[in-house]
Amino acid sequence: MACRVTLQMGVVMLQGIMSGRISSRSSKAQDRRDAHRIELMSPFIVSATFDSAHSHLCLARNVGVGGLLLEFQTESELSGVSDGFRCVLTDMMPEGYHTMQDVHCSVEWLYRKFVGVAFSRPFFMNHDALLEWMKSVRMSYRLVENAD
């Protein structure tokens, strides 16, 4: 069942399931992966800073209660980044309108130019709070069905 919230801008999303070698995940990480996720249908640009190094702009592709899937422009931006690296995220909204500022995360996995990050502290208390946040930022989205 897809839910939508209208937004002034849209973007075509990457379709399909990623294949290839992905770093091994713990059962806790797999539980987060099996949780409901929301595919962002609108561009949500964030600045990601890994271990206090330079920041990089990236797109948040999907979001769940436990973390985000980030897409970077090139793989080279991720050279030197590995599982367990700390990451700080800030959205690129104008000052005073930030909805995600200095959110601490850790890298769970990397695949080409994609990075899965987990929130270090809960950012969304539950799935309903996540949906309310999506509505408050007026972002279009669709619920992602879990692949079993």
Side-chain angles (χ1 to χ4, degrees):
M1 176 193 222
C3 297
R4 287 197 183 258
V5 175
T6 57
L7 182 70
Q8 297 149 5
M9 299 184 298
V11 68
V12 176
M13 297 302 298
L14 176 68
Q15 299 295 321
I17 298 172
M18 293 188 323
S19 61
R21 189 178 74 77
I22 296 176
S23 304
S24 63
R25 298 183 194 134
S26 66
S27 62
K28 184 178 176 184
Q30 186 61 41
D31 290 344
R32 279 195 298 269
R33 177 73 181 149
D34 291 340
H36 293 288
R37 295 180 316 282
I38 297 174
E39 181 179 10
L40 305 179
M41 304 302 287
S42 307
F44 187 67
I45 302 170
V46 295
S47 169
T49 305
F50 296 101
D51 280 341
S52 301
H54 294 86
S55 62
H56 302 278
L57 294 180
C58 57
L59 285 175
R61 288 298 188 179
N62 71 39
V63 61
V65 172
L68 293 165
L69 169 65
L70 304 174
E71 179 183 2
F72 291 80
Q73 192 169 11
T74 64
E75 288 180 55
S76 63
E77 292 178 274
L78 299 172
S79 63
V81 175
S82 63
D83 292 4
F85 264 46
R86 292 180 309 254
C87 178
V88 178
L89 303 176
T90 299
D91 65 37
M92 297 308 296
M93 301 294 279
E95 199 62 39
Y97 293 96
H98 288 293
T99 58
M100 182 177 283
Q101 186 170 15
D102 295 331
V103 176
H104 293 264
C105 305
S106 63
V107 174
E108 290 289 313
W109 57 266
L110 294 131
Y111 176 75
R112 297 188 181 176
K113 61 181 186 174
F114 297 94
V115 176
V117 297
F119 299 126
S120 298
R121 287 168 275 162
F123 189 71
F124 305 109
M125 297 312 287
N126 54 40
H127 190 68
D128 292 334
L130 172 57
L131 289 174
E132 285 302 314
W133 178 78
M134 295 297 298
K135 292 174 185 174
S136 73
V137 295
R138 296 182 174 195
M139 190 166 306
S140 63
Y141 62 89
R142 75 176 183 94
L143 299 176
V144 176
E145 297 295 324
N146 294 335
D148 291 328

